[in-house]
Amino acid sequence: MKMLLFLLLCFVGLTAAVSGIIMISRPDGSLLELPIILLQGTPFKNYFVPGIFLAIAVGGVNLFAAAYLALQMPKQYTISMTSGSLIVVYVLIQYFFYTSF
């Protein structure tokens, strides 16, 4: 079970970090084929700020949790739960902005 958690943390961390970096480097969404119209009704003009949050808060924390798990550091499962909670927060923020504006 610990190996599965490690693999999931690595997968989510890497994909979120890479996607966030791509969003930061091309905030118009062209590299990921994300139309700007998806941001209509949100406070964001482009994908730069969501990319920062995705790369650092979601990707970085998941990779940090994977490293903690691999090194068997104290509180490794607490940090893993925190990283999962950040994903939930990211999705809820997306839902809130999409439905309220």
Side-chain angles (χ1 to χ4, degrees):
M1 216 42 153
K2 190 174 182 178
M3 180 57 79
L4 178 61
L5 176 60
F6 176 75
L7 292 173
L8 287 172
L9 288 169
C10 287
F11 176 76
V12 171
L14 287 173
T15 56
V18 169
S19 298
I21 290 168
I22 291 171
M23 290 167 73
I24 293 167
S25 66
R26 291 277 178 89
D28 62 349
S30 61
L31 203 55
L32 291 174
E33 298 181 10
L34 294 169
I36 291 291
I37 193 96
L38 292 176
L39 295 175
Q40 184 178 8
T42 70
F44 307 114
K45 302 281 187 231
N46 56 38
Y47 291 102
F48 186 77
V49 173
I52 290 173
F53 187 75
L54 183 63
I56 296 171
V58 178
V61 173
N62 274 280
L63 291 174
F64 181 74
Y68 249 63
L69 193 66
L71 298 172
Q72 298 181 350
M73 301 292 284
K75 306 228 182 213
Q76 58 188 329
Y77 297 113
T78 303
I79 294 172
S80 298
M81 288 294 293
T82 303
S83 66
S85 300
L86 281 173
I87 295 169
V88 172
V89 168
Y90 188 77
V91 170
L92 287 175
I93 289 170
Q94 287 178 325
Y95 177 76
F96 172 74
F97 280 132
Y98 184 71
T99 59
S100 67
F101 288 98

